Amino acid sequence: MAPTPRPAPPRNAAQLPPLADASGVLAGAARHSASRVFALFLFSAASAAAAVALPAALGRTLDLLLEDAAGVERALVLCAVLVAAEVLFDALEALVGGATSARTTAWLRRCGADHLLSLAPHRAADRFTPGDLVTRLTGNAAEAGTAPTTAAIGLASVLVPVGGLICLALIDLWLVVVFLAGIPLLALLLRGFARGSSHSVSQYQRVQADIAGRLLEALGGARTVAAAGTAERELARVLAPLSELSAQGRRMWQVYGRASVGSGILVPLLTTMVLAVGGVRLAGGSLSVGDLLAASRYAALAAGLGAVVGQLNSLLRSRAAARRIADMLALPAVRHGGRPLPADGPGRVELRSVTVSRGGAPVLRGVDLVVPGGTTMAVVGRSGAGKSTLAAIAGRLADPDDGVVLLDGVPLTEADPSELRREVGYAFERPVLFGETVGAAIGFGQYEPTAGEIGASARAAGADTFVRLLPGGYAAPLTDAPLSGGELQRLGLARAFAHAGRLLILDDATSSLDSITELHVGRALVHDVRTGTRLLIAHRVSSAARADLVAWVEDGRVRAVGPHASLWEEPDYRAVFADTVRDTGGS
């Protein structure tokens, strides 16, 4: 059975920020939404302009009313227009701002997900817990996604105090002098807020991720927790960081509260001082009543620290979140080449001086191994010997720290990735199925097999019988299919068979099968699946005995390669199969 390859649809990968740091992430987010951010700035600036113009119009209207002069109607209409304009532009700002934040957040999540899926499978797991990654892609992306909106609104909001200060100067220079006396205090307040808030926000987000990670672990092991009767103990473990979260939250809000209280005292004080001086100037005839009304409003606008503090607080949270996203994006992606594999290649695999370390400890040590094209090689060894790591290296699910791996003479790092994924198939001990239906799960891959090819693959994997018993058969919804461990493993094998190329790697993919089914699958590999090279991670004597060659792995090295019958003469080799400890797939 040889499925006809069909080109996979082009992948619409999100463009990553140019720099994997907080500034690069935020700059990339701003570029992604540049047109909307610019429109948002215009709406915010228009609202700010209306807000700055309104006090002058109100003051002029009041003077006209007190003087019973002509033009009151036009002045009232102007005030109404300015109020309506401010309301309208505020509404547009809210509408465009919400849409921009949502789109930017979605883009950041696509960037993060795309980058994670471009990594070698072990990269992210070595650095981050699953819960931490979920937090970075959800909550942190949402906070960072508000940065362009906050920056546009914040930049426009600066126009309000600046405009208020300029208009205050146009009314009376003495009022500006009085107001400027309090500017150093405003600057100190902002500086203290920025310095105190940044660290606490970062720590708060870190503890949030820690709790999410612990919760994900607990949910993943819910049956074990229930069986052990340790639910209360596990709950205490998950919630243990709450005290630190509370402390960081209190510190964060204390900093914000001090800034708010400071501004709440300073702003009325400055306004009062301006009013006091304005009253004196009014008594001296230098100001009108309308001027004094406008001056009071402009003093409040010029001292609008509350809005600035709020925008600054949001930007600090966004930057802290962007830093966490940047840490994730900084993980090195797998580099690919464009070199094609030989069209008539038999699937010869060669490992030359391959060394792999995990967590600073060597897993494979200078491995030299050749799997001749068209042969079946079983890889055996005790748990932790390095078998699954060797399987991952052989098909480029991971790259060695040193050495080179070749498929039909082409280094895997130079091979075209699409062709490599079509020509190298995998089946795993604990497969994860994707797709709406059982048939779609079997067909999931670089190309979509026909219905006939999917059925043939299922028969070869011993899955057709139980699939046909499901309501709907191959069209049965995957989420509604009650699958045992063995049935799940057979569907994983069927998926691998449906996409079998010149190299097929079975990483302990028959461990949950009974002996009869395993024998059936072994025969199908020879007669019913596309001819090619087979690399089997094996624990059973029967699997090793059916292979053409056996690679005996011990302590990260290939101790011997040869037919099973020859190796069986070695007592240490026989002891490998006497070991009842199962390989967990992490070796």
Side-chain angles (χ1 to χ4, degrees), residues 26 101 105 108-109 135-136 138-148 150 201 204-205 208 252 314-322 324-325:
L26 295 179
S101 294
T105 298
L108 285 172
R109 286 172 177 164
T135 302
R136 291 171 194 262
T138 53
N140 294 154
E143 288 185 310
T146 64
T150 303
V201 167
Y204 188 86
Q205 292 174 345
Q208 277 184 318
M252 185 170 59
S314 180
L315 282 175
L316 288 172
R317 293 181 66 87
S318 295
R319 184 170 181 80
R324 289 175 54 79
I325 294 174

Side-chain angles (χ1 to χ4, degrees), residues 45-343:
S47 175
V52 170
L54 183 59
L58 289 172
R60 176 61 178 165
T61 303
L62 179 58
D63 284 341
L64 291 175
L65 285 171
L66 292 176
E67 296 171 3
D68 197 19
V72 174
E73 292 81 4
R74 287 195 302 272
L76 288 173
V77 170
L78 177 60
C79 290
V81 169
L82 289 175
V83 171
E86 187 175 0
V87 171
L88 173 63
F89 288 123
D90 282 345
L92 290 173
E93 175 189 303
L95 178 64
V96 176
T100 301
S101 294
R103 288 176 61 88
T104 305
T105 298
W107 179 79
L108 285 172
R109 286 172 177 164
R110 285 198 304 271
C111 283
D114 184 77
H115 186 67
L116 288 176
L117 293 176
S118 73
L119 303 174
H122 68 91
R123 285 289 186 188
D126 287 350
R127 178 76 183 275
F128 306 109
T129 64
D132 191 14
L133 287 175
V134 169
T135 302
R136 291 171 194 262
L137 285 175
T138 53
N140 294 154
E143 288 185 310
T146 64
T149 298
T150 303
I153 295 175
L155 184 60
S157 68
V158 174
L159 299 176
V160 175
V162 171
L165 193 62
I166 293 173
C167 290
L168 197 60
L170 293 175
I171 293 173
D172 192 281
L173 288 176
W174 283 105
L175 301 181
V176 173
V177 171
V178 173
F179 182 84
L180 290 179
I183 290 297
L185 294 177
L186 286 172
L188 288 174
L189 202 62
L190 285 175
R191 182 185 178 191
F193 172 74
R195 294 179 64 179
S197 183
S198 180
H199 177 72
S200 59
V201 167
S202 298
Q203 293 302 311
Y204 188 86
Q205 292 174 345
R206 178 188 60 79
V207 180
Q208 277 184 318
D210 185 19
I211 293 176
R214 295 176 183 224
L215 178 60
L216 199 61
E217 292 173 0
L219 292 175
R223 289 190 299 176
T224 302
V225 172
T230 57
E232 292 185 4
R233 188 191 310 169
E234 191 62 18
L235 178 63
R237 184 187 72 85
V238 171
L239 300 181
L242 272 181
S243 58
E244 184 181 357
L245 185 72
S246 175
Q248 295 296 342
R250 283 197 303 270
R251 181 185 302 174
M252 185 170 59
W253 287 109
Q254 283 170 359
V255 173
Y256 183 75
R258 284 196 296 269
S260 298
V261 170
S263 65
I265 295 173
L266 188 57
V267 170
L269 181 60
L270 287 174
T271 305
T272 301
M273 291 172 61
V274 170
L275 284 174
V277 174
V280 173
R281 301 289 287 169
L282 174 65
S286 299
L287 295 178
S288 68
V289 175
D291 289 338
L292 184 58
L293 172 64
S296 67
R297 291 294 305 138
Y298 284 130
L301 293 178
L305 186 64
V308 175
V309 169
Q311 300 296 335
L312 183 58
N313 181 54
S314 180
L315 282 175
L316 288 172
R317 293 181 66 87
S318 295
R319 184 170 181 80
R323 190 177 299 115
R324 289 175 54 79
I325 294 174
D327 289 342
M328 180 178 65
L329 295 177
L331 294 174
V334 176
R335 295 184 179 274
H336 297 289
R339 186 174 169 182
L341 297 173

